[in-house]
Amino acid sequence: MTWWLLAGLLALAALAPLGFALLRPASARGRREADLALYHRQLAELERERAAGRLDEAAHAAAVLEVQRRLLAAPGAAEETAAPAAKGASAAAAHRAPLLAALVMVPAVAVALYWINGTPGLPSATFAERQGAAAQEEQLLALLRQRLAAAPDPNGEAARQGWALLGNAERGRGRPDAAAEAYARALAIRFDAELAGQRAQALLEANRTDEAARFLAEALPKAPDHIGLRFLTGLAEARAGRPETARTLWRALVAEAPPDAPWRAMVERRMQDLP
């Protein structure tokens, strides 16, 4: 009974913010405001993780850079048109009704399913079990490498996607060097600006700053308007000890940005941090 009471309290604590958000009056928010709000929440969460000791400085810097890259890659704010207040209120109410119903039904169904199939007395995974899971993941990555090496069409789209997948997996496991090499194999098959940005970021995470700068110098002419590549080029220059070059690049990026670009403030702060 104590376990069920604790589980109920935890569920209530988890669902209370959502219930409050659904019940309070809705405020109009455009794409730019939503992107910025999400960006600030993610940065705050990363700061809490670092303060709690769950992220070291290198991992924190890499995660912040990834959040900023996603902000830069977000599509521009769509044009918004004004709507009558009554229409907006009725539309908001119509959207809230199913969410409120789900707010009640989801925990009820979860409790029912766990009542039938759950085992609250089951102990947590041991260190040996976690090691076994990690070893299994390594085996899967090794198998993926073998299949890519023996691919019947090494320059085909399937191989390109496989190398990109391997790069994501290596980067997720904290191996930016291996990720950068996998991304390079994918880019050799077909250039993609987003994938080039991920490779540049992996090189920066691996402290291969000069190599990242050279790679970006080759990649940027292929996608001269890509915001992420332009930002990362400035970042590589800043880390290479060339702040004036970085400032020039970022100034040009901000000058061409629309006033409501969600990433504009982030780039401006980066410029302010330059020596």
Side-chain angles (χ1 to χ4, degrees), residues 145 148 159-160 162-171 175-189 195-196 198-208 211-212 214-215:
R145 294 188 196 97
L148 288 171
R160 191 189 76 87
W163 285 113
L165 178 63
L166 179 60
N168 292 337
E170 295 284 19
R171 191 171 168 208
R175 296 195 287 251
D177 287 292
E181 300 313 312
Y183 289 143
R185 298 291 295 270
L187 288 166
I189 298 173
L195 196 60
Q198 293 186 41
R199 180 170 192 263
Q201 190 170 336
L203 290 170
L204 290 172
E205 291 170 8
N207 294 320
R208 294 159 63 179
E211 186 176 352
R214 290 193 299 270
F215 168 71

Side-chain angles (χ1 to χ4, degrees), residues 53-274:
R54 290 187 288 268
L55 280 179
D56 58 23
E57 289 298 329
H60 176 266
V64 168
L65 186 58
E66 174 64 17
V67 171
Q68 292 174 345
R69 185 190 68 80
R70 291 179 182 176
L71 179 66
L72 291 167
E79 293 183 359
E80 299 175 358
T81 57
K87 181 178 178 181
S90 61
H95 285 88
R96 285 178 186 170
L99 292 175
L100 286 170
L103 187 65
V104 176
M105 291 299 298
V106 168
V109 172
V111 169
L113 290 174
Y114 195 81
W115 183 272
I116 298 172
N117 300 313
T119 53
L122 186 68
S124 59
T126 65
F127 177 70
E129 290 172 333
R130 293 195 297 271
Q131 276 190 319
Q136 187 175 11
E137 291 177 4
E138 287 295 339
Q139 291 176 357
L140 291 175
L141 288 179
L143 179 61
L144 177 58
R145 294 188 196 97
Q146 292 175 3
R147 291 186 175 180
L148 288 171
D153 185 6
N155 295 317
E157 183 62 21
R160 191 189 76 87
Q161 293 180 0
W163 285 113
L165 178 63
L166 179 60
N168 292 337
E170 295 284 19
R171 191 171 168 208
R173 293 182 69 80
R175 296 195 287 251
D177 287 292
E181 300 313 312
Y183 289 143
R185 298 291 295 270
L187 288 166
I189 298 173
R190 179 170 64 82
F191 179 81
D192 177 83
E194 287 297 322
L195 196 60
Q198 293 186 41
R199 180 170 192 263
Q201 190 170 336
L203 290 170
L204 290 172
E205 291 170 8
N207 294 320
R208 294 159 63 179
T209 305
D210 291 337
E211 186 176 352
R214 290 193 299 270
F215 168 71
L216 285 164
E218 297 173 358
L220 189 56
K222 300 177 183 177
D225 298 326
H226 192 271
I227 295 170
L229 290 179
R230 294 175 68 184
F231 168 75
L232 289 170
T233 300
L235 183 61
E237 292 295 317
R239 293 191 178 180
R242 297 184 286 270
E244 287 305 320
T245 305
R247 185 176 286 107
T248 300
L249 292 167
W250 285 343
R251 277 178 179 167
L253 184 61
V254 170
E256 298 173 17
D260 59 349
W263 46 264
R264 184 187 184 108
M266 180 269 292
V267 177
E268 291 173 341
R269 283 195 298 273
R270 286 276 188 171
M271 283 195 292
Q272 291 174 0
D273 292 338
L274 290 173

